[in-house]
């Protein structure tokens, strides 16, 4: 199971990829459709990572083992209401 640092590094990598996609689109290296498809995948994965970090922090706050936190299904994470 990944620790908080690993998850945060993965988040940074996804954000870097997101920026790279925008650069590639601007340079005409990929189509708008390719960019949008990959950006949607990145967005879902980022939401899952942030959710996992929140779970781990909540478990710590209540004296539970943070390694018990699990990546939730994309459908669950994407249906959260703000």
């Amino acid at each position: 199971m990944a620790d908080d640092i690993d998850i945060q590094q993965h988040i940074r990598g996804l954000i870097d990829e997101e920026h790279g996609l925008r650069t590639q689109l601007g340079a005409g290296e990929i189509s708008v459709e390719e960019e949008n498809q990959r950006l949607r995948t990145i967005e879902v994965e980022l939401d899952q990572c942030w959710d996992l970090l929140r779970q781990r922090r909540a478990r710590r706050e209540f004296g539970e083992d943070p390694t018990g936190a699990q990546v939730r299904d994309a459908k669950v994470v994407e249906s959260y209401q703000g």
Side-chain angles (χ1 to χ4, degrees), residues 10-70:
H10 187 65
I11 288 170
R12 278 188 221 100
L14 290 168
I15 291 169
D16 289 345
E17 184 177 352
E18 183 179 44
H19 293 164
L21 287 168
R22 293 204 170 102
T23 300
Q24 288 179 307
L25 179 66
E29 297 171 4
I30 60 172
S31 68
V32 172
E33 294 79 21
E34 290 171 310
E35 182 206 33
N36 286 338
Q37 182 179 13
R38 184 60 190 140
L39 284 175
R40 178 66 184 137
T41 301
I42 290 170
E43 177 183 303
V44 170
E45 197 170 339
L46 281 169
D47 288 346
Q48 288 175 308
C49 288
W50 287 118
D51 175 68
L52 183 58
L53 281 176
R54 282 190 295 273
Q55 286 182 61
R56 289 175 60 82
R57 289 175 183 154
R59 291 178 75 82
R60 255 188 233 102
E61 181 179 339
F62 291 99
E64 297 177 21
D65 182 0
T67 62
Q70 305 254 338

